[in-house]
Amino acid sequence: MSDPRLRHGRAALTFSFFVQGVAFALLVTRIPAIQDRYGISDGLLPAFLAGVPILAGVGSVATEHLVKRVAPSVALRWVQPVVMLALLGVAAGDQLGQAAASFALFGLAIGGLDASMNMLGISLQHAYGRSIILGFHASFSLGGIVGSSLAWSGAHWHLSLLVLYLPVVVVLVPLCLAGSRWYVDAARGGEKAPTEADPAGDGRRPVVFRLLLPLCLVMAFAYIGESTVANWSAKYLQDVLGSSEQLSTVPYNVYVVSALLGRTVGDRVVRRFGPVTVVRAGSVLAGAGFAVLAVAPGPWVGMLGLPLLGFGLCVIVPQTFAAAGRLFPGASDGAIARINIFNYVGYLVGAPLVGGLGEAWTYRGAMLVPMVLVLLTLVYARSFGAEGARYGGGHDRPRTVDVG
């Protein structure tokens, strides 16, 4: 791709994904410290944590309407600093009401951030004519590793939340604002083939939820799997498989690193084999990962399931956004905003679902539920491929040569 405008836009958006990963990791990995700072009880904490994805869904819906009036790049330019300032607000307050307000602002802004970033990512992918969306999500994973490492350092050196968060915000907010001048709202353009959603072939038909529903379900299934890993892997390894407390801190890191590696090479794999094959393979790998956890006799065998989960789940979410963009080429922003809601649905459902089943049944048995759900993605895999290519997504067909 020789257009320097697109190259600069891609680099700026990659950095935006990285910053989002840093911010999100800094919040979620320091929840115990936040709880101690504000005296949030164990009974009240789930309400705080559930409020973030609920409000993020609201933020995603609001962004769908906002981008009808302003470009997604404008929304992203201003919502990302809000996320960082909300993070700083969590660290700076000392009253429960301040914590609630900061969490609420973080949730609303993160929903708008997720939606607008993926809108720009899919727009750029259309302009490039080949899969690049996994690279953006790889940058998010890298940001998560950096953010969790900073959080570990803060905990290790007993730094206050404000001392930990303030330098990050001071450095990253100006960089985000500077980089935002390079964002590109790449035009879709081109004549579209007639479809059920767009019989005139002019790309102007609104999003039809019935057609989007299979992808919404896949998004929810993937995030149920991811939230299971994020919330239960450490406890499962220690309480069920008998690992030491030290070893129980390793699984999530193994998962994140595997996801980063998978997303780093994922775009080339998609270009070579096509999205249907990649999504099917990801579903099988993720299902196998949960199966290994469910039957593992001890912690070291259980650990083998984590890279399978990382490599499997990492490809599904970016390809779901890409498929939504192909399905509604003239209304991809709206489709992406709506499908983005279901990642928060998955997070809301995943943790209590596995926890409730673990308490009522067994935690080994509970691991079979996300296994079944991610394997259900196989039923909807056709939505990612040739059928989607009729809607203007031919760039994701398998290729034997990577054009760069």
Side-chain angles (χ1 to χ4, degrees):
M1 178 60 62
S2 60
D3 189 339
R5 186 177 69 98
L6 293 180
R7 291 201 307 271
H8 294 156
R10 183 179 180 181
L13 187 58
T14 298
F15 181 70
S16 180
F17 270 85
F18 172 81
V19 172
Q20 190 229 18
V22 172
F24 188 75
L26 281 173
L27 181 74
V28 299
T29 57
R30 298 300 287 142
I31 290 297
I34 295 169
Q35 185 179 10
D36 291 342
R37 178 179 181 85
Y38 289 97
I40 301 172
S41 67
D42 289 340
L44 186 58
L45 183 62
F48 271 80
L49 299 182
V52 171
I54 290 172
L55 289 171
V58 174
S60 189
V61 172
T63 302
E64 176 186 358
H65 295 286
L66 178 63
V67 297
K68 295 175 183 177
R69 295 172 173 81
V70 302
S73 62
V74 175
L76 176 57
R77 176 177 298 125
W78 297 112
V79 77
Q80 188 146 47
V82 172
V83 170
M84 301 302 292
L85 293 174
L87 183 70
L88 190 60
V90 170
D94 56 12
Q95 300 293 322
L96 193 60
Q98 293 172 313
S102 296
F103 268 83
L105 181 61
F106 187 91
L108 287 168
I110 206 77
L113 181 61
D114 284 341
S116 57
M117 282 196 312
N118 282 289
M119 289 173 189
L120 282 185
I122 296 304
S123 176
L124 276 170
Q125 178 161 291
H126 276 276
Y128 266 76
R130 57 188 173 90
S131 179
I132 61 172
I133 190 67
L134 278 154
F136 296 128
H137 286 261
S139 184
F140 171 81
S141 298
L142 179 61
I145 293 171
V146 171
S148 61
S149 298
L150 290 171
W152 178 89
S153 298
H156 179 75
W157 296 105
H158 305 291
L159 302 178
S160 71
L161 291 171
L162 188 59
V163 171
L164 175 63
Y165 289 173
L166 182 59
V168 175
V169 173
V170 167
V171 170
L172 292 183
V173 167
L175 290 176
C176 287
L177 290 172
S180 69
R181 66 191 292 259
W182 301 106
Y183 293 156
V184 174
D185 296 283
R188 274 64 168 182
E191 184 177 344
K192 311 302 179 188
T195 71
E196 182 179 355
D198 181 15
D202 60 5
R204 297 176 183 174
R205 293 292 181 177
V207 175
V208 179
F209 185 71
R210 175 174 59 84
L211 299 178
L212 194 64
L213 181 59
L215 297 176
C216 293
L217 292 175
V218 170
M219 180 71 80
F221 297 159
Y223 272 99
I224 287 172
E226 184 158 322
S227 69
T228 299
V229 177
N231 289 287
W232 293 104
S233 59
K235 180 178 176 63
Y236 184 84
L237 214 71
Q238 186 171 350
D239 293 356
V240 178
L241 300 185
S243 78
S244 65
E245 183 177 357
Q246 184 176 1
L247 183 60
S248 71
T249 65
V250 174
Y252 188 67
N253 288 334
V254 172
Y255 169 78
V256 172
V257 171
S258 301
L260 172 61
L261 294 175
R263 286 171 170 170
T264 300
V265 302
D267 284 317
R268 291 184 178 273
V269 178
V270 171
R271 295 171 211 159
R272 176 65 179 85
F273 297 103
V276 171
T277 299
V278 170
V279 168
R280 283 175 174 161
S283 302
V284 171
L285 283 174
F290 281 119
V292 168
L293 284 173
V295 303
W300 289 105
V301 175
M303 288 279 288
L304 297 177
L306 274 301
L308 295 176
L309 286 165
F311 285 118
L313 292 175
C314 75
V315 300
I316 297 176
V317 170
Q319 287 307 307
T320 306
F321 282 122
R326 290 193 298 271
L327 188 60
F328 297 98
S332 63
D333 291 343
I336 289 166
R338 294 189 193 185
I339 209 168
N340 186 54
I341 297 168
F342 284 81
N343 89 48
Y344 310 122
V345 172
Y347 261 118
L348 278 172
V349 171
L353 175 67
V354 171
L357 286 172
E359 292 294 329
W361 185 23
T362 67
Y363 280 99
R364 287 186 183 273
M367 288 294 156
L368 298 176
V369 175
M371 180 194 78
V372 171
L373 291 177
V374 296
L375 288 175
L376 281 176
T377 298
L378 295 170
V379 177
Y380 302 112
R382 289 180 57 193
S383 300
F384 291 81
E387 184 177 3
R390 298 206 317 267
Y391 299 85
H395 64 275
D396 271 339
R397 291 193 299 264
R399 297 183 180 182
T400 57
V401 178
D402 182 6
V403 296

